[in-house]
Amino acid sequence: MTILSLTRRTLLAAATSTLALGSLAAPALAQTPPGVLIVGQIAEPKSLDPAAVTAVNDFRILVNLYEGLVRYKPGTLEVEPQLATGWEVSEDGTEYTFTLREGVTFHDGTPFNAEAVKFNFDRMLNEDHPFHNTGPFPLAFFFGSVASTEAVDELTVKFTLSEPYAPFLSNLAYPTGLLISPAAVEAGGADFGRAPVGTGPFTFAEWRSNEAVVIEKNPDYWGETAGTEAVVFRPITDANTRVAEMLAGGIDMMVEVPPNSLGQFESDQYKVIEQAGPHVWFLILNAKEGPFADKLVRQAANYAINKEALVNDVLEGTAEVAAGPTPPAFAWAYNDALEPYPYDPEKARELLAEAGAEGAELTFYVTEGGSGMLDPIPMGTAIQADLEAVGFDVSIETYEWNTFLGEVNPGLEGKADMAEMAWMTNDPDTLPYLALRTDAWPEAGGFNSGYYSNPEVDDLLEQARVSTDQAERAELYKQMQEIVQDDAPWVFVANWKQNAVTSARVENFSLEPSFLLMLSDVVKN
């Protein structure tokens, strides 16, 4: 029996019956064969096309199927070669020339070469490319400085930038820079994301909607072959259900364990893993219309919410209170002179009175789960109570993760006053540039769903991304953080330390600061 038929007939049957088995963990474990890793995901993936998705939930699958020119060095956010063996940067910082790895093929047998790299970036960035209509490509912003991509020869590719762009290599290592088979896109068109083809250590086997995505070991991989025969990613949207599945043996691994459930895995049957990384949990405030169009009301919300109670009671000490839009994991760019907004309900009431906004009605979008969202429903209800205690009238609307993103990412105008959000990022540029600039409003293709606008912030961010001097960049980011904290376009809530739990049968697994799930070295006994 092949691995694929095992996953179809046995693993999924065992997984779907786990809850019925209740505490009978042994039968479920007995039906889970060695060499096949079952991962509990927080949601169904939106697509398996790396250029078309934005959620870390999806990226955790994709980084095992695809590779980029570069990657993050394990355990760090430093960049090292992957499908490129090296690169040179011109003196003025506008040309990056990469030498490609020889002998690499995509899973469909077609060659990986400079033309394939050019196809990938032209598809994302050039509206006249014949396969640009297979998008949209929401993070094409990452490569907005690329003026042209040239296949110099079969194993040399050159990017010419419109101006120096400091985060370029880091963004190439991010999953948006993963490289897909041009032949597979040509064959699949807009449906490519359902039948992905990359160069990675695993190949795509099947996607059963709302049941599982199955990937298998790539026997022809150019590097060291994977330690497991297959990986099954099961979407289990309810956090408590994921915990129950983990305890019953229906899954071998889960990420983003609810803080109040960590204690259930303190035994020799499990391994709990933690890893710090650049994460911000915040509330987007609609600064375009309604109560939060007034800066005083936005500041009032920041004073009204007891963030210490959220991180200590709801999140049980697995996070720290956030002071601004930049996570402290970016130590070189973090403004440690900033203090978080203190919990001061009386100050909040004073600001509301000054703004004439007592009793303001708020519509609050809350998600059931999602990448880095940290117990979003308990967080949302606690936030609602704090806001109501100072005079707001808050109505919560709750959505499944992908539906939630479909509501929030296009903008809150005409729909909501505030929304939960979390970002896990790769560079100090990423989150503010994509979510706080005026030119990143949703209609411009960005993620500034609350329509915040401050020309001084825009200017600082533009200066920082073209500077090649890290000390200069750091000073610019620190100035930006001061202004944004005062303007309060968000409620700055928490910076989280990510976690995961595996069964004791799983070896060689570690979490990454990038929040990605690298599984090629993992062994399941």
Side-chain angles (χ1 to χ4, degrees):
M1 184 179 289
T2 67
I3 289 296
L4 183 54
S5 62
L6 266 174
T7 57
R8 281 178 173 160
R9 301 177 188 179
T10 306
L11 294 175
L12 294 175
T16 54
S17 66
T18 301
L19 290 180
L21 289 169
S23 62
L24 300 179
L29 286 168
Q31 295 177 46
T32 304
V36 179
L37 182 72
I38 307 180
V39 179
Q41 288 275 93
I42 59 176
E44 174 85 345
K46 181 179 179 181
S47 170
L48 298 179
D49 180 345
V53 295
T54 64
V56 171
N57 181 66
D58 300 4
F59 292 155
R60 286 170 173 150
I61 301 174
L62 300 182
V63 291
N64 297 285
L65 290 167
Y66 302 96
E67 297 167 304
L69 293 174
V70 296
R71 68 173 188 174
Y72 299 122
K73 185 178 179 180
T76 76
L77 289 173
E78 298 172 19
V79 173
E80 69 176 12
Q82 191 170 46
L83 290 177
T85 58
W87 59 88
E88 294 180 355
V89 184
S90 65
E91 190 171 333
D92 66 358
T94 63
E95 292 184 355
Y96 286 72
T97 304
F98 292 84
T99 301
L100 306 184
R101 193 174 297 278
E102 293 187 61
V104 177
T105 58
F106 289 101
H107 300 151
D108 57 9
T110 58
F112 166 74
N113 53 30
E115 287 293 345
V117 177
K118 177 176 170 58
F119 177 98
N120 273 261
F121 287 90
D122 286 354
R123 170 183 175 243
M124 261 196 295
L125 300 172
N126 297 348
E127 291 185 3
D128 58 352
H129 189 271
F131 292 94
H132 185 74
N133 62 0
T134 57
F137 308 115
L139 294 183
F141 267 91
F142 275 41
F143 305 110
S145 63
V146 175
S148 66
T149 308
E150 177 189 354
V152 178
D153 57 41
E154 187 172 1
L155 294 176
T156 309
V157 64
K158 182 170 75 173
F159 294 87
T160 300
L161 311 186
S162 56
E163 58 187 355
Y165 177 43
F168 183 59
L169 287 173
S170 180
N171 285 358
L172 284 176
Y174 200 70
T176 308
L178 295 171
L179 300 171
I180 64 180
S181 162
V185 175
E186 291 167 3
D191 294 327
F192 168 79
R194 297 289 304 195
V197 179
T199 62
F202 292 92
T203 62
F204 174 73
E206 67 172 340
W207 180 356
R208 297 176 60 149
S209 295
N210 298 309
E211 288 188 21
V213 172
V214 182
I215 62 176
E216 296 180 324
K217 177 192 289 189
N218 176 9
D220 301 317
Y221 182 54
W222 61 266
E224 189 173 340
T225 56
T228 57
E229 294 299 320
V231 181
V232 181
F233 295 92
R234 289 186 52 212
I236 308 171
T237 57
D238 179 73
N240 292 327
T241 304
R242 285 198 306 278
V243 170
E245 290 269 18
M246 189 74 214
L247 291 169
I251 57 178
D252 303 304
M253 174 188 298
M254 66 175 288
V255 293
E256 303 191 24
V257 184
N260 61 1
S261 299
L262 282 169
Q264 298 181 66
F265 300 106
E266 293 178 354
S267 78
D268 292 342
Q269 291 179 278
Y270 305 103
K271 301 174 185 176
V272 176
I273 303 100
E274 293 183 328
Q275 168 70 55
H279 168 278
V280 185
W281 199 103
F282 57 99
L283 302 176
I284 304 170
L285 305 181
N286 185 342
K288 188 175 186 181
E289 61 184 7
F292 290 131
D294 189 326
K295 172 179 167 178
L296 295 178
V297 183
R298 300 195 301 268
Q299 291 177 333
N302 273 277
Y303 284 114
I305 294 169
N306 189 343
K307 295 174 282 294
E308 290 283 355
L310 290 176
V311 301
N312 292 325
D313 299 338
V314 180
L315 302 180
E316 302 200 8
T318 59
E320 295 181 349
V321 173
T326 300
F330 294 126
W332 64 271
Y334 180 67
N335 190 338
D336 56 13
L338 289 182
E339 293 289 339
Y341 274 86
Y343 174 52
D344 191 339
E346 188 56 40
K347 176 72 170 176
R349 292 186 190 97
E350 291 174 5
L351 290 170
L352 287 179
E354 184 179 347
E358 302 101 321
E361 296 181 356
L362 304 177
T363 298
F364 180 19
Y365 281 179
V366 169
T367 180
E368 295 173 355
S371 307
M373 289 306 304
L374 312 182
D375 268 4
I377 292 177
M379 292 280 280
T381 55
I383 288 166
Q384 178 189 37
D386 283 347
L387 291 173
E388 291 189 335
V390 301
F392 289 105
D393 181 3
V394 184
S395 298
I396 286 179
E397 295 183 15
T398 305
Y399 298 93
E400 175 274 331
W401 177 235
N402 286 317
T403 305
F404 176 83
L405 292 178
E407 292 288 336
V408 174
N409 286 347
L412 300 183
E413 184 178 9
K415 297 182 291 187
D417 300 288
M418 55 192 292
E420 297 178 338
M421 188 50 65
W423 275 63
M424 296 169 276
T425 61
N426 63 312
D427 188 274
D429 169 80
T430 307
L431 176 55
Y433 196 82
L434 294 181
L436 287 172
R437 280 185 316 126
T438 305
D439 287 345
W441 283 21
E443 54 264 41
F447 295 87
N448 187 348
S449 300
Y451 316 99
Y452 171 64
S453 177
N454 185 316
E456 191 174 358
V457 168
D458 296 343
D459 185 56
L460 289 168
L461 291 172
E462 292 293 348
Q463 290 182 58
R465 68 181 355 221
V466 301
S467 172
T468 55
D469 183 314
Q470 188 176 86
E472 182 181 28
R473 288 185 74 203
E475 182 56 34
L476 293 165
Y477 288 130
K478 289 175 182 179
Q479 292 178 43
M480 175 273 297
Q481 291 164 60
E482 290 181 4
I483 297 167
V484 170
Q485 191 202 47
D486 181 63
D487 280 347
W490 303 338
V491 174
F492 312 103
V493 179
N495 303 120
W496 173 59
K497 180 184 287 186
Q498 62 174 319
N499 61 39
V501 63
T502 73
S503 78
R505 302 168 65 190
V506 175
E507 298 180 358
N508 299 340
F509 172 71
S510 60
L511 287 168
E512 294 294 327
S514 62
F515 295 90
L516 303 175
L517 211 55
M518 313 302 294
L519 300 176
S520 62
D521 292 336
V522 172
V523 174
K524 179 186 165 190
N525 298 313

